[in-house]
């Protein structure tokens, strides 16, 4: 984060005391080095929470050069160290989105709500169970052809959420944390591997 950006952000933070202050930033291989500085800035400015968003290879993000720049690859150990050092009681509260999978110290992960409590409608009316499942394979239908209530009750809407976690590939299947992490996000896993049943590709548990 540049010094100019820090200065502008600082002025905004001090002038908006009536608002809840949340900083959000993509966290990828090429931005990992300055992550501690970004977190120090958040603490100095006494923001309420910080959210780090992970890289997911969808759309143009599937290009090899993009994956090389943003995918963690061999930097997984560095990412693990940063996450472990950042997940504290705060302030600020530090949050990592589902792309990072289960986090220390408890290695828990929410149960999948795709098509159970959530859905996503695209700009052209295609309905998906979740924003993590934006692939043609997971389109339940289109609002121009079927009513939303019918789409919501389509069995395809909950097919990913109901995927048997005991059938996941190793090492997820044998991992002692499986009962609490549920194999992490299947949509993120599919985006990286093309396989809903694959092991979560960037598990920080090691």
């Amino acid at each position: 984060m540049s010094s100019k950006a820090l200065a502008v952000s600082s002025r905004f933070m001090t002038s908006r005391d009536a608002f809840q202050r949340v900083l959000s930033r993509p966290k990828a291989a090429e931005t990992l080095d300055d992550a501690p500085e970004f977190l120090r800035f958040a603490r100095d400015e006494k923001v309420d929470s910080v959210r780090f968003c992970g890289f997911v290879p969808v759309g143009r993000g599937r290009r090899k050069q993009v994956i090389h720049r943003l995918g963690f690859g061999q930097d997984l150990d560095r990412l693990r160290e940063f996450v472990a050092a950042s997940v504290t009681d705060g302030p600020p509260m530090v949050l990592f989105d589902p792309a990072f999978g289960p986090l220390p110290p408890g290695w828990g992960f929410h149960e999948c709500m795709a098509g159970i409590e959530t859905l996503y409608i695209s700009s052209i009316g295609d309905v998906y169970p979740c924003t993590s499942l934006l692939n043609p394979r997971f389109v339940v239908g289109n609002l121009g052809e079927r009513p939303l209530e019918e789409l919501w009750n389509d069995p395809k809407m909950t097919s990913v959420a109901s995927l048997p976690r005991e059938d996941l590939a190793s090492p997820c299947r044998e991992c002692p944390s499986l009962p609490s992490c549920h194999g992490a996000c299947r949509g993120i896993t599919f985006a990286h591997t093309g396989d809903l049943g694959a092991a979560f590709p960037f598990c920080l548990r090691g």
Side-chain angles (χ1 to χ4, degrees):
M1 194 170 188
S2 70
S3 57
K4 182 178 180 180
L6 287 171
V8 171
S9 299
S10 181
R11 287 198 300 272
F12 177 81
M13 292 298 177
T14 56
S15 65
R16 302 282 180 170
D17 289 337
F19 295 89
Q20 184 179 43
R21 294 169 296 186
V22 179
L23 292 179
S24 179
R25 190 180 191 200
K27 185 52 52 203
E30 67 177 20
T31 64
L32 193 54
D33 286 337
D34 62 0
E37 179 187 5
F38 182 77
L39 201 49
R40 283 193 297 271
F41 167 76
R43 287 170 176 153
D44 290 344
E45 297 300 326
K46 297 180 173 57
V47 303
D48 297 291
S49 62
V50 174
R51 179 181 176 88
F52 289 111
C53 306
F55 167 67
V56 182
V58 295
R60 294 181 179 179
R62 296 189 65 83
R63 295 176 178 177
K64 290 183 179 179
Q65 61 269 34
V66 177
I67 293 175
H68 178 74
R69 284 177 47 229
L70 302 180
F72 288 106
Q74 301 304 314
D75 288 325
L76 199 58
D77 287 340
R78 293 172 56 226
L79 174 63
R80 184 182 298 113
E81 292 171 2
F82 173 71
V83 172
S86 303
V87 178
T88 65
D89 293 332
M93 181 180 294
V94 180
L95 307 170
F96 292 84
D97 77 8
F100 294 94
L103 303 175
W107 303 106
F109 196 84
H110 61 78
E111 292 191 36
C112 182
M113 293 291 102
I116 297 175
E117 293 186 2
T118 68
L119 60 78
Y120 174 81
I121 302 173
S122 76
S123 61
I124 60 172
D126 285 338
V127 178
Y128 301 80
C130 179
T131 56
S132 294
L133 296 167
L134 301 185
N135 180 283
R137 169 176 173 175
F138 305 112
V139 176
V140 180
N142 188 279
L143 289 178
E145 301 170 357
R146 298 168 63 191
L148 182 58
E149 182 178 1
E150 181 181 316
L151 293 171
W152 178 251
N153 291 304
D154 190 308
K156 189 175 181 180
M157 185 67 79
T158 57
S159 61
V160 174
S162 60
L163 184 75
R165 294 318 196 247
E166 61 270 19
D167 294 341
L168 300 183
S170 298
C172 281
R173 186 169 54 234
E174 293 87 11
C175 180
S177 294
L178 184 61
S180 60
C181 87
H182 316 290
C185 177
R186 294 293 91 198
I188 301 296
T189 301
F190 182 87
H192 282 283
T193 68
D195 181 1
L196 273 177
F200 189 73
F202 300 110
C203 181
L204 298 176
R205 196 174 191 278

